[in-house]
Amino acid sequence: MADVSAAFNPRKQKILESLALPDAEYTDLSPKGSVDEGIKDLINKINGLDGIVTTSSCAGRISVFLEGSKGSQQATAEGDVEALDNQSLQATVPGGKGKGGRWLFVSHDPLVVAQMAGTRDKPLTELFGLSTQEHVPESIDSGKTRFVRFQFEPMILHVMTASLQHAQRVLSAAINAGFRESGVQSLKNLDDPNAFPMVAVRTSGLALGSVIGCTQDNEGDDTILSLVNEGYLQILVDIANERFRANSERISRFSSELFKSKAPETGWEDADSRRARKRAEGLELQRGLLRAGARSGPQRAGLICTDANSN
């Protein structure tokens, strides 16, 4: 495993200090405002490894999000990119864009309405902030309509690493655990010694999304219309709850893969290093054959040398 540069540890320490704050003082850019309980232990274990530190996380969630005004989506999207570049924040990526967008509902646990305080017998339309009567407009002007989206998003984790060798360890564990869309997002370290590879642990295979409501950009009218019925919302919730279970299984596999053994000593090597290693191994093998031939006599040694050279 590659050495950890002197510039990495101060960056990691700053992040760990923010995570160590009491819950009442800690805040981030996610709707919840703090690290999810479901992966807090995993994050602590990851951050105990040399050359690795988490910079953003979400354990997985059900969310209902009202889009913002369409005219400001581009500016907001640019702001999201800037937020992602701040590697010291434990933040989650917003589920929608546009000025005035807001979360109508967020849960980081499977949704069972009967078990939620204050929600017994409350219809899902009301829980999600929609009008309680299904209303499908005859026509929709997409330029003036803000849609409400129901989403399930599996775990996403951003991990800053001290080197490509450290990144390889995280990435291999993620791919083997089923987070197939994981990858190394930043390779600025190839040119900048003060930049470090960033690994995104993620999968789109468990994601779920559906438009369930809308509202018009009309002044004085804040009504959010439901475009689906209660039965359809329940189907979405049931599917999302099942994907929560699959998400938990993948998180568990990721943890097992990451901590099942120490990182390999050889790690990643470039093409020149590999050629040099292979040449050294070949020469050592040839010397071993020569020594073995010498012990068995001159005639046998000549045969062995011939065979070795023919390879």
Side-chain angles (χ1 to χ4, degrees), residues 4-286:
V4 177
S5 70
F8 180 84
N9 285 330
R11 294 275 295 277
K12 177 175 180 176
Q13 185 59 36
K14 184 177 179 180
I15 295 171
L16 296 182
E17 287 173 358
S18 68
L19 288 173
L21 292 173
D23 290 343
E25 298 178 25
Y26 177 82
T27 185
D28 61 28
L29 298 181
S30 67
K32 184 170 175 284
S34 60
V35 180
D36 297 339
E37 287 293 332
I39 55 171
K40 185 172 286 187
D41 289 343
L42 173 62
I43 287 175
N44 288 338
K45 287 178 64 178
I46 292 174
N47 290 338
L49 297 172
D50 289 336
I52 296 173
V53 65
T54 60
T55 65
S56 66
S57 63
C58 178
R61 68 188 177 194
I62 292 173
S63 65
V64 178
F65 188 84
L66 171 62
E67 293 178 343
S69 299
K70 300 295 179 68
S72 59
Q73 286 188 4
Q74 182 176 357
T76 305
E78 292 171 355
D80 289 341
V81 173
E82 292 176 1
L84 284 175
D85 285 340
N86 187 340
Q87 297 181 341
S88 66
L89 293 175
Q90 288 281 335
T92 57
V93 183
K97 304 286 192 295
K99 182 178 180 181
R102 68 180 188 272
W103 303 96
L104 302 178
F105 179 85
V106 177
S107 174
H108 291 82
D109 299 296
L111 177 56
V112 182
V113 176
Q115 298 178 2
M116 297 178 64
T119 63
R120 186 177 296 276
D121 299 326
K122 179 179 288 190
L124 291 171
T125 47
E126 184 178 347
L127 186 65
F128 294 160
L130 308 175
S131 61
T132 55
Q133 182 176 358
E134 179 186 354
H135 177 79
V136 180
E138 294 182 0
S139 62
I140 293 178
D141 184 346
S142 59
K144 296 180 179 180
T145 302
R146 298 161 61 191
F147 291 102
V148 177
R149 301 181 184 276
F150 176 99
Q151 298 181 106
F152 172 77
E153 299 161 285
M155 183 189 78
I156 183 168
L157 190 64
H158 288 89
V159 182
M160 186 172 71
T161 61
S163 69
L164 286 175
Q165 290 169 288
H166 293 88
Q168 181 189 39
R169 176 180 181 180
V170 178
L171 184 57
S172 296
I175 296 297
N176 291 338
F179 291 93
R180 300 296 185 186
E181 286 69 45
S182 299
V184 179
Q185 286 192 320
S186 175
L187 293 175
K188 294 180 181 179
N189 64 298
L190 296 178
D191 301 314
D192 183 357
N194 293 316
F196 304 100
M198 180 73 72
V199 180
V201 179
R202 59 192 176 191
T203 179
S204 62
L206 296 178
L208 172 68
S210 178
V211 172
I212 61 174
C214 70
T215 185
Q216 301 293 318
D217 277 338
N218 298 325
E219 293 185 7
D221 185 3
D222 296 328
T223 303
I224 302 175
L225 304 175
S226 175
L227 297 178
V228 299
N229 58 32
E230 189 75 10
Y232 183 78
L233 291 177
Q234 187 60 59
I235 291 172
L236 289 177
V237 169
D238 291 343
I239 296 173
N241 286 344
E242 179 59 35
R243 296 193 180 188
F244 256 121
R245 288 187 281 273
N247 181 56
S248 295
E249 292 172 359
R250 293 193 188 189
I251 292 174
S252 179
R253 290 202 300 269
F254 171 65
S255 179
S256 298
E257 288 285 336
L258 187 60
F259 298 102
K260 68 180 179 182
S261 63
K262 293 182 179 179
E265 294 182 1
T266 54
W268 178 86
E269 57 184 355
D270 58 29
D272 290 339
S273 298
R274 185 176 186 277
R275 282 194 293 269
R277 178 173 60 81
K278 288 292 186 181
R279 176 176 173 78
E281 290 173 353
L283 290 174
E284 179 60 30
L285 176 61
Q286 190 175 50

